[in-house]
């Protein structure tokens, strides 16, 4: 297949690598940061961060998806003037909406968090305003089929975030060294929030620089554009709102469950079960600040694939090429499952060694490891639902993810209230609801994709065969870890060796079991190199 046809998979690979690197950097710095601010500070940070994320979702988080979809359609028709006018309108949109959201967050922080913890949320407020402009610039380049700019800016953002978070947390805690533990935890969490803002700011300057480097090329295309119908700004604003609003709603509801569950859990634990605010924040910090942080690493692959699929499907759908669109969907889903399924298995069987390496705090290690093992399956569910969200948005069915997310949220909300009110499951009520919610989204979105596109998954090839290969991999990895740890009790050495064996075993299992065909290998990034290895092994694909 030509480079042009499978370029979207390569671009998704670039974005996925950047996403994984960002999450690895995030985990690597979270461990020393947690050592500085403690589980209580980690709880305050994650509580404020979740509220910040929701407000960001409502204001400008979905802008890259909407901008990339609309501009990609114009670029497919070579309407460069209209594409640029959409870009300008999007900048105006985030200036107004992002500014209002930032001001609301600063002034209304006390509406969401208890006591002095709202200080942390106020530190996040300016970041919301800057994030909107970063999102528009990223969406603009994604529409052009290039993920390199977005990928590099994400890595730069995360590196500065890590450095500033640790230094600012340490410095701010030093200012209140003589104060009580809770005060130091709040100041430390505020320092970590400063790191998030610093990262977004440097990403903005980077993306702005990239835009100005390409400005001459952009202007040259506009000058040679002879499109007769130039869309007016009122038309573009209407188009933006009609596209942005459903995407915002679906993304908001899709991600709202995390913040909603946090608020419900905290309120119930404090006011109904007698927990102190510090204890509730500490326990929630173990779940959200440790187990969920690790889970989000493999989900980055699906997020990258989704971001890439929106403009590429929009372009082929705008040209009426149904066969090409369905082919892209199949390849994207298969590639995502080929990675998500073994990731879930690996996190499940090696949950404690992984947690011990990344978050070695002994007082919460066993609980965090068990939580990670329980929610590992959600990697598969969230990966598939995230990708299908992007597919539905790409073909213009932006209202379906809203409906599906609403149904899933309603079901998990009823379940959560019942579990917290009538059982003593506490944190594990959140675990159950997370699994139910992600599974419901996965099922509902898959049904919508089938109905809208006439697309049917090959369950044996797409799910069962990768699962069989992953089961062999998981058993091998666990045996290697236990064996090496028994001979030489070093968690790092045993885990590294187990992961190496896991990759090798899964690689050969996929080839021997013929999970992938020759054509599918040629479609995925580095597939031709894998094909050469298979030929040397005399495997018939």
């Amino acid at each position: 297949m030509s480079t042009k046809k499978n370029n979207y998979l390569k671009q998704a690979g670039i974005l996925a690598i950047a996403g994984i690197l960002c999450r690895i950097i995030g985990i690597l710095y979270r461990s020393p940061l947690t050592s500085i601010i403690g589980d209580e500070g980690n709880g305050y940070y994650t509580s404020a961060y979740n509220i910040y994320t929701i407000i960001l979702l409502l204001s400008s988080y979905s802008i890259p998806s909407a901008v990339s979809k609309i501009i990609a359609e114009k670029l497919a028709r070579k309407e460069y003037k209209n594409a640029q006018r959409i870009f300008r309108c999007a900048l105006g949109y985030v200036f107004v909406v992002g500014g209002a959201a930032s001001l609301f967050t600063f002034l209304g922080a006390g509406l969401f968090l208890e006591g002095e913890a709202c200080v942390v949320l106020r530190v996040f407020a300016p970041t919301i305003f800057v994030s909107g402009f970063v999102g528009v610039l990223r969406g603009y380049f994604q529409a052009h089929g290039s993920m390199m700019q977005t990928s590099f800016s994400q890595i730069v953002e995360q590196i500065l975030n890590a450095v500033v978070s640790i230094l600012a947390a340490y410095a701010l805690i030093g200012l209140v060294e003589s104060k009580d533990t809770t005060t130091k935890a709040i100041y430390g969490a505020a320092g970590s929030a400063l790191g998030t803002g610093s990262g977004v700011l440097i990403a903005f300057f980077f993306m702005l620089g990239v835009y100005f480097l390409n400005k001459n090329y952009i202007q040259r295309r506009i000058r040679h554009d002879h499109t007769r119908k130039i869309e007016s700004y009122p038309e573009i604003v209407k188009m933006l709102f009609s596209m942005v609003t459903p995407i915002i709603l679906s993304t908001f509801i899709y991600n709202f469950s995390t913040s909603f569950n946090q608020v419900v859990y905290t309120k119930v634990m404090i006011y109904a079960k007698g927990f102190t605010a510090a204890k509730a924040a500490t326990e929630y910090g173990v779940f959200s600040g440790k187990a969920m942080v690790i889970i989000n690493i493999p989900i980055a692959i699906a997020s990258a694939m989704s971001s890439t699929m929106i403009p590429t499907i929009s372009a082929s759908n705008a040209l009426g090429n149904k066969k090409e669109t369905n082919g892209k969907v199949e390849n994207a889903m298969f590639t995502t499952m080929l990675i998500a399924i073994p990731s879930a298995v690996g996190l499940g069987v090696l949950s404690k060694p992984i947690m011990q390496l990344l978050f070695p705090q002994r007082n919460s290690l066993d609980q965090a490891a068990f939580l990670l093992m329980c929610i590992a399956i959600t990697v598969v569910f969230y990966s598939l639902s995230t990708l299908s969200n992007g597919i539905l948005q790409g073909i213009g069915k932006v209202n379906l993810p809203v409906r599906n997310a609403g149904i899933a949220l309603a079901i998990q909300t009823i379940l959560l209230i019942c579990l917290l009110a009538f059982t003593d499951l506490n944190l594990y009520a959140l675990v159950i609801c997370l699994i139910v919610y992600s599974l419901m989204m996965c099922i509902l979105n898959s049904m919508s994709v089938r109905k809208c596109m006439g697309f049917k998954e090959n369950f044996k090839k797409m799910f069962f065969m990768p699962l069989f290969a992953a089961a062999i991999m998981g058993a091998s990895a666990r045996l290697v870890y236990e064996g090496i740890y028994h001979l030489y009790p070093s968690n790092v050495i045993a885990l590294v060796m187990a992961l190496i064996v896991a990759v090798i075993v899964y690689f050969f299992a996929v080839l021997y079991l013929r999970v992938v065909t020759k054509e599918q290998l040629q479609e995925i990034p580095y597939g031709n190199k894998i094909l050469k290895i298979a030929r040397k092994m005399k495997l018939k694909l």
Side-chain angles (χ1 to χ4, degrees):
M1 183 168 283
S2 69
T3 303
K4 184 177 180 181
K5 285 186 178 180
N6 64 13
N7 182 60
Y8 72 97
L9 283 177
K10 293 179 180 178
Q11 294 298 324
I14 292 171
L15 199 57
I17 291 170
I20 291 171
L21 283 175
C22 287
R23 282 163 173 77
I24 290 173
I25 293 170
I27 285 183
L28 292 177
Y29 93 82
R30 293 296 298 174
S31 183
L33 180 65
T34 303
S35 298
I36 295 172
I37 67 177
D39 282 335
E40 184 180 349
N42 196 26
Y44 290 131
Y45 173 81
T46 52
S47 297
Y49 185 82
N50 286 338
I51 301 299
Y52 152 79
T53 301
I54 288 300
I55 296 172
L56 191 64
L57 287 172
L58 287 171
S59 58
S60 57
Y61 186 84
S62 300
I63 278 292
S65 299
V67 169
S68 65
K69 171 177 169 48
I70 300 171
I71 293 181
E73 290 177 353
K74 300 303 176 185
L75 294 176
R77 299 189 182 103
K78 302 187 185 303
E79 297 179 14
Y80 302 117
K81 289 180 181 178
N82 286 329
Q84 194 67 11
R85 290 168 76 87
I86 292 168
F87 173 65
R88 290 170 186 161
C89 274
L91 290 173
Y93 172 90
V94 296
F95 177 81
V96 175
V97 177
S102 181
L103 190 62
F104 171 75
T105 304
F106 186 83
L107 298 176
L111 298 173
F112 304 102
L113 296 175
E114 299 290 329
E116 295 181 348
C118 63
V119 171
V120 183
L121 183 56
R122 287 195 177 101
V123 177
F124 276 117
T127 309
I128 295 172
F129 180 65
V130 181
S131 294
F133 296 101
V134 177
V136 171
L137 288 163
R138 284 173 174 169
Y140 182 76
F141 285 104
Q142 288 171 19
H144 286 76
S146 176
M147 303 295 161
M148 186 63 73
Q149 297 85 355
T150 294
S151 301
F152 194 79
S153 71
Q154 287 177 343
I155 294 171
V156 172
E157 174 185 340
Q158 190 68 346
I159 290 173
L160 191 66
N161 179 12
V163 174
V164 175
S165 290
I166 293 173
L167 294 179
Y170 182 80
L172 289 179
I173 288 177
L175 294 176
V176 291
E177 190 64 40
S178 59
K179 302 289 184 179
D180 59 276
T181 304
T182 296
T183 301
K184 288 191 284 189
I186 291 171
Y187 272 70
S192 184
L194 280 174
T196 303
S198 301
V200 172
L201 189 62
I202 194 67
F204 168 68
F205 285 122
F206 173 80
M207 293 302 299
L208 193 63
V210 172
Y211 176 78
F212 279 112
L213 285 174
N214 289 274
K215 192 172 182 180
N216 289 335
Y217 169 71
I218 294 167
Q219 293 299 328
R220 188 164 59 250
R221 288 202 310 182
I222 292 172
R223 285 195 300 270
H224 290 89
D225 179 13
H226 300 294
T227 302
R228 291 185 177 182
K229 187 182 183 303
I230 303 299
E231 294 176 351
S232 67
Y233 284 114
E235 287 177 324
I236 294 172
V237 170
K238 184 179 179 181
M239 185 194 309
L240 270 175
F241 271 101
S242 65
M243 183 57 60
V244 169
T245 303
I247 292 179
I248 283 178
L249 285 174
S250 63
T251 309
F252 167 71
I253 299 172
Y254 185 62
N255 292 275
F256 178 67
S257 61
T258 300
S259 294
F260 177 78
N261 291 351
Q262 169 210 316
V263 172
V264 172
Y265 173 80
T266 303
K267 299 290 185 184
V268 171
M269 292 299 103
I270 293 174
Y271 296 110
K273 298 195 175 182
F275 279 36
T276 63
K279 184 178 180 182
T282 300
E283 286 212 352
Y284 187 78
V286 174
F287 172 74
S288 182
K290 293 184 178 181
M292 285 300 298
V293 166
I294 295 173
I295 285 293
N296 284 330
I297 294 178
I299 295 176
I301 296 169
S303 298
M305 192 69 75
S306 177
S307 297
T308 310
M309 289 299 288
I310 291 174
T312 193
I313 285 183
S314 296
S316 59
N317 194 56
L319 298 174
N321 196 331
K322 184 177 179 180
K323 184 178 179 181
E324 182 181 335
T325 302
N326 282 6
K328 288 177 178 179
V329 169
E330 183 178 4
N331 290 335
M333 291 181 69
F334 178 71
T335 304
T336 301
M337 289 299 97
L338 206 57
I339 300 171
I341 291 174
S343 297
V345 172
L347 290 174
V349 300
L350 296 173
S351 59
K352 188 169 182 178
I354 292 171
M355 191 62 71
Q356 186 176 339
L357 174 68
L358 299 174
F359 297 103
Q361 291 79 21
R362 291 186 178 276
N363 59 337
S364 58
L365 176 59
D366 289 337
Q367 183 184 34
F370 187 68
L371 288 169
L372 177 61
M373 183 181 69
C374 291
I375 64 176
I377 185 63
T378 62
V379 170
V380 177
F381 299 152
Y382 269 123
S383 294
L384 191 56
S385 59
T386 299
L387 178 61
S388 53
N389 259 356
I391 292 168
L392 291 169
Q393 290 167 4
I395 61 173
K397 303 296 182 180
V398 290
N399 291 318
L400 290 178
V402 179
R403 183 200 67 184
N404 296 340
I407 294 171
L409 181 62
I411 293 171
Q412 80 98 50
T413 298
I414 296 170
L415 180 61
L416 177 63
I417 293 172
C418 291
L419 290 175
L420 288 177
F422 303 112
T423 73
D424 292 321
L425 288 170
N426 296 348
L427 272 183
Y428 297 100
L430 295 178
V431 170
I432 293 170
C433 288
L434 184 73
I435 294 171
V436 169
Y437 179 74
S438 59
L439 176 60
M440 288 298 301
M441 279 299 303
C442 179
I443 293 171
L444 292 172
N445 274 1
S446 295
M447 290 171 62
S448 295
V449 170
R450 281 185 226 141
K451 183 178 179 181
C452 294
M453 303 184 66
F455 173 78
K456 292 183 179 180
E457 304 97 331
N458 184 334
F459 279 90
K460 180 181 177 182
K461 198 75 174 175
M462 196 172 289
F463 301 106
F464 297 134
M465 292 303 289
L467 179 60
F468 185 42
I472 298 171
M473 175 210 76
S476 303
R478 188 68 199 185
L479 286 172
V480 169
Y481 177 84
E482 294 293 347
I484 293 177
Y485 193 82
H486 180 73
L487 295 173
Y488 187 78
S490 169
N491 180 63
V492 176
I493 294 174
L495 179 59
V496 169
M497 293 304 298
L499 291 175
I500 292 172
V501 169
V503 171
I504 294 172
V505 169
Y506 184 68
F507 176 78
F508 284 107
V510 165
L511 294 182
Y512 275 111
L513 294 172
R514 299 182 184 178
V515 177
V516 293
T517 64
K518 178 181 176 182
E519 291 74 19
Q520 287 171 325
L521 272 178
Q522 290 175 328
E523 298 265 353
I524 66 175
Y526 306 106
N528 288 323
K529 292 182 180 180
I530 297 174
L531 192 58
K532 288 180 182 178
I533 296 173
R535 285 169 179 164
K536 289 181 180 179
M537 296 169 58
K538 297 181 180 179
L539 293 175
K540 295 181 179 180
L541 297 176

